[in-house]
Amino acid sequence: MSTVTANRKPVHLAVYDTFADWETGHTTAYLARAGYEIRTVGPTRAPVTSIGGLRVEPDLALDDVEPQESALLILPGADLWDAGDDLAPFARRARAFLDAGTPVAAICGATAGLAREGLLDDRDHTSAVSFYLAATAYKGAERYVDTDAVTDGNLVTAGPTEPVAFAREVFRLLGVYDGEVLDAWYRLHHDSDAEAFAVLQQAAR
């Protein structure tokens, strides 16, 4: 099922106070199953607490993460994205990743953070709803796509109700699953399609 190579770089998952722990669970779980190391990245190494009350001690501080040492930066939503500039450094680091050709995947409020940073001005993207991003006064409204998740180059975006579609786009981008296997994974987890499970079982053999 997996087409990734053995010598892969780790995936970095951003964590910060009020991060939405449910939005990236499918993504990180199946990346880990595919052999990726998942490393958490906080503003510092100090513990943070998710919306769901999970206390996480980050593996790394944001300043210690370099794009060339990463396979992907994942930015989950958080109340803090809309409560000030505390998370702006994560959006700036996302710019550095994209400039270096390293993928970034943002969901929910993180898409607004990228919009404020100007990273959605020239890329197709999506979010919760178009007027949510319009409130950031960004210049990319014409590139907004009203769908579950969007990939443009090395950037994946999704709205808060689409964690499975978000994962699908990440898997496609990194080459973890493709073709009918990727479609079956999505149908199983999004639509509870029992027939899709048989496709995944066959691929696993």
Side-chain angles (χ1 to χ4, degrees):
M1 293 170 65
S2 173
T3 60
V4 293
T5 60
N7 297 318
R8 57 182 68 87
K9 298 175 182 178
V11 167
H12 291 95
L13 171 66
V15 292
Y16 19 72
D17 284 331
T18 74
F19 78 91
D21 35 28
W22 66 90
E23 291 178 342
T24 60
H26 288 86
T27 303
T28 55
Y30 283 88
L31 287 178
R33 283 189 169 188
Y36 282 94
E37 177 188 8
I38 308 298
R39 307 206 73 194
T40 52
V41 182
T44 66
R45 294 283 299 276
V48 299
T49 303
S50 75
I51 291 177
L54 298 182
R55 186 175 183 272
V56 178
E57 185 173 334
D59 297 313
L60 299 163
L62 182 62
D63 288 344
D64 297 328
V65 178
E66 297 298 333
Q68 62 270 22
E69 298 172 358
S70 180
L72 169 72
L73 175 64
I74 302 174
L75 300 174
D79 291 344
L80 287 181
W81 281 113
D82 297 317
D85 297 328
D86 287 355
L87 299 186
F90 284 89
R92 289 195 291 270
R93 186 52 56 95
R95 176 181 291 281
F97 268 64
L98 293 170
D99 286 348
T102 303
V104 172
I107 185 169
C108 189
T111 62
L114 298 191
R116 294 185 190 97
E117 181 64 19
L119 295 175
L120 305 185
D121 289 351
D122 301 309
R123 294 176 171 91
D124 290 344
H125 59 276
T126 194
S127 184
V129 287
S130 59
F131 57 80
Y132 171 61
L133 293 187
T136 69
Y138 81 131
K139 301 176 182 177
E142 292 184 355
R143 304 294 294 267
Y144 187 89
V145 183
D146 189 12
T147 190
D148 53 10
V150 171
T151 300
D152 188 330
N154 281 335
L155 178 64
V156 173
T157 52
T161 61
E162 300 294 345
V164 179
F166 181 68
R168 177 197 65 206
E169 295 304 301
V170 169
F171 300 157
R172 193 198 322 270
L173 183 61
L174 295 185
V176 175
Y177 307 131
D178 56 21
E180 68 173 3
V181 175
L182 180 64
D183 177 66
W185 184 92
Y186 179 77
R187 287 189 289 112
L188 177 64
H189 292 277
H190 188 267
D191 303 324
S192 300
D193 185 344
E195 294 182 1
F197 183 70
V199 176
L200 296 176
Q201 278 192 315
Q202 181 63 34
R205 298 192 187 102

